[in-house]
Each structure stands twice: as C-alpha cells, then as structure tokens.
Amino acid sequence: MSQEQWGALLQGDESYAGCKSFYRLEASAQDVFGMKYIQPTHQGRAADYIMAQIYAKKGQYAIGNMHFDTFRGNAEIMGAIPVDFVIAEGQKANNEYHPFKGNIDIPRMQKLIDDEGKEKICCVIITITCNNNGGQPVSMENIRQVSSLAKKYEIPVIIDSARLAENAYFIKTREPGYENKSIKEITREMFSYCETTTMSSKKDGLVNMGGLFVTRCHDIYLKANQLAIVHEGFITYGGMSGRDMEALAVGLQEVTDFDYLDYRIKQVRYLGEKLKERGVPIIEPAGGHGIYVDGKKFFPHIPQHQFPSQRLVCALYEEAGVRAVEIGACAFGKKDPVTGADIWPELETMRISVSRRVYTNQHLDVIVNALGDIYENRDTYKGLKLIFEGPIISLRHFTAGFELVK
Ligand SMILES: Cc1ncc(COP(=O)(O)O)c(C=O)c1O
C-alpha cells in the first residue's frame, strides 16, 4: 500500500454503526463506480455470496464470460448452473492477437435464451478482467452489447469488478474512441451498463483485505444489507475494520491513476516478453495482472490427468521458491454427471500473478531464469497423481493434494 493509504489507515474510525471511515469509503466508491449504494464485505467472495443469494436461482443458468470460482461455488450451492460463454479466441492459448479475449460470445448468449427461454436465465455476470483465461479484458462495446441483449429479456447484468481499473486501462489503450477519456470516465461508463457489481478489493482496491457489493437499485441494496448483517457485520462496516475502509477509500482513487496502471501493466508485459525470449510458451497477449504459462505446451509429454500445470507450479517452487497457481486440469476439471468420466478443460495454464507495487523487474528476472531452466530440462519431469480433493469439485484446487508419479 502507499504511504497515503498507511496514513489513512491510522485514522480508522472503529465505531460499530455509522463510522466516518464508511462514509469516506462510500464517497470514494460512488465516485469510481458511479453507483449509489455501497455495501462493504470482508472479501470479494463474501460479496459473491450475497450476489448469489440474491441473483442465483435453482435450475437456472448464470451466463458469464468465465465465472470466478468463488461465485461459481456459491451459485452451485444455490442450485444454479453457471455457464462460461467467453469468445472462442479467449479459450485458446497462443492464437492470433485479439485485444479483448475476455469478451462474452453474444450469439451463444442469444442461443441459450432462444433455446431455454429467458425465464431459465437468472443473470449475466461479466468478470473484468477475465481472470481465468489470462486476465484478459472485456471491451466497452461488448459490455454494452451484453447489457442491451440482457435488458431486452429483463435479465439482470452484474459485473465482477476485481480488476476494474486494469480493464479500463485496456479499453483506453486498445478501444477506438476511448483514448482521450480518463480512467474514471471509463469505469463509470462500464458500470452504467450493469445493475450490480461485486469487487474483491484486494485487487484493484490496492488493499490487503476487503470487498464491495455495489448496486444502483435500492431494493437490491436492502436485501444485501440484510445478508451483510447476518453474515458480515453491520451495514456500515460489513466485515471490514474502519482502518481497512480508510485504506480502500484511498486505494480506489490511486488505482484510477493512469501512470500507476501504465507501470503495472507494463511490468507484467515485461515478464511475458522475457519468458518468450527463453522460449517459454505463454498465453498472449499478456493480461493485466499476470502471465499465464501454457502447461500443455510446456510439458507436452504430461497428460492432463497428470496435471502438467500443477507440476509446473511445484517445479517453479522447487527451483526458485516462487509460488504460482494452477488454472487448468485441477481447477477446471469436471466429472460427467452421468458417466462420472473426467472432462478436461481446453485451457491448461500456470498463472503467475504479479503483486503490484512489490517487485522490481530484477525480481521478475528470477522467475524468468528459473522457468527458462526448467523448460530446458522439461523432458526430465513427470506428472502428478491427485490423492485428495474436497467434496465440491469446482473448489478442489484450494484443498487438493498430490504425489509425484514415479
Ligand atoms: C474475479 C474475482 N472475483 C472474486 C474473487 C474473490 O475475491 P476474494 O479473494 O477477495 O474473496 C477473486 C479473487 O481472486 C477474483 O479474482
């Protein structure tokens, strides 16, 4: 966090109800989102929980580009069916350059509405940037089109806005017509197309803890208040300390600074370019918050049922003490509900999320050297055997255990 955030933190007002820190956060969030009602939560997944309780309906589809796992888990518990409709370019690694690989496939969305009827669709959730396929952005045009299609069928649109400012940066630098707009003008326009948004503030809130549930509808806000009271805390803190709300109020302003974003996105791009120089296969173009290494291409001899990207996560940790995460066969693998057969995802990656304001490029060179060396010796690596998963398969990557294949 910045010195301004640490300074603000010391002024936290920890009153149970109506603390000053809440009103500072409320004003800052209203400014960035352009929406009126702000309910803090302790993390993004708590906002996901509230969102799922309000919008996810049993037996109905929740359309998304790619749902983040914590909403997916919450929606599945509610009996809803989350479906991922990211465009085809967003499902493949290393294909031709596409500036907005996080976009929703509009014809697929229309087809589901036509086939199933609008009553079978409970909501559309656009995740910006799309975390699961590489931190890939969603264009303003796509957000606008998704919103107008949903409006036609009275389907509510929600934005999962963990990386709202990074998405706005990509719109500003890649989408015609936005080059002269400020980041805040862009964020406000993005949110003008949705009814509600949730945020993991640990990302573009530039803080270590916190979440937000933000809506333009008073009735939805009242429902969120009730759920916050029973699960999070009183309306004006919702699971956050006053001091954390102060830091978030400042962080939301700092993240919309173009120079900050320019440093941030370019540092991630630096890592991607250096890895490419060593021959390491990555998903392109580089996303906002991290580099995603293509596990299938990295270890072509390790089949998906032996978790190539998870093996790579372990190898990087063994080699350099750097912790990445698998987004592939373990995170997205499913079982066929009828036959029980394994279904493996198209994208098989290791995500290296880069913490902002922490590393110099020389730190990133450590990752480049380690991964470059592992890549040179890739034939010597074998896969992994899954020995433990939890009861909810879509959440197993948080708890799974593996052993090395001999
Ligand atoms: C897009 C997205 N939504 C929701 C969450 C969950 O947020 P939290 O970790 O704050 O609970 C995350 C966390 O990585 C995320 O990236």
Side-chain angles (χ1 to χ4, degrees), residues 61-134:
Y61 295 94
I63 297 175
N65 41 359
M66 288 180 99
H67 292 291
F68 189 73
D69 9 2
T70 49
F71 170 74
R72 186 186 298 279
N74 274 308
E76 284 177 357
I77 289 168
M78 296 292 294
I81 311 158
V83 286
D84 291 344
F85 281 2
V86 74
I87 53 170
E89 292 88 335
Q91 294 164 35
K92 291 183 217 109
N94 259 340
N95 56 342
E96 273 174 31
Y97 175 83
H98 188 293
F100 293 105
K101 279 184 166 183
N103 281 357
I104 288 192
D105 186 333
I106 309 273
R108 257 182 107 188
M109 179 174 157
Q110 177 74 63
K111 186 167 182 321
L112 187 73
I113 299 171
D114 294 344
D115 291 351
E116 298 286 337
K118 65 171 188 171
E119 312 70 32
K120 284 290 292 276
I121 322 268
C122 54
C123 56
V124 182
I125 300 167
I126 312 171
T127 300
I128 58 169
T129 55
C130 187
N131 193 343
N132 288 352
N133 73 344

Side-chain angles (χ1 to χ4, degrees), residues 40 115 117 125 222 249 279 297 331 397:
D115 291 351
I125 300 167
L222 295 182
K297 287 209 178 110
H397 49 303

Side-chain angles (χ1 to χ4, degrees), residues 35 51 55 157-159 194-198 213-215 220:
M35 294 165 94
M51 194 243 286
Y55 289 101
V157 174
I158 296 136
I159 296 185
C194 73
E195 172 174 303
T196 291
T197 179
T198 57
F213 179 98
V214 178
T215 183
I220 298 284

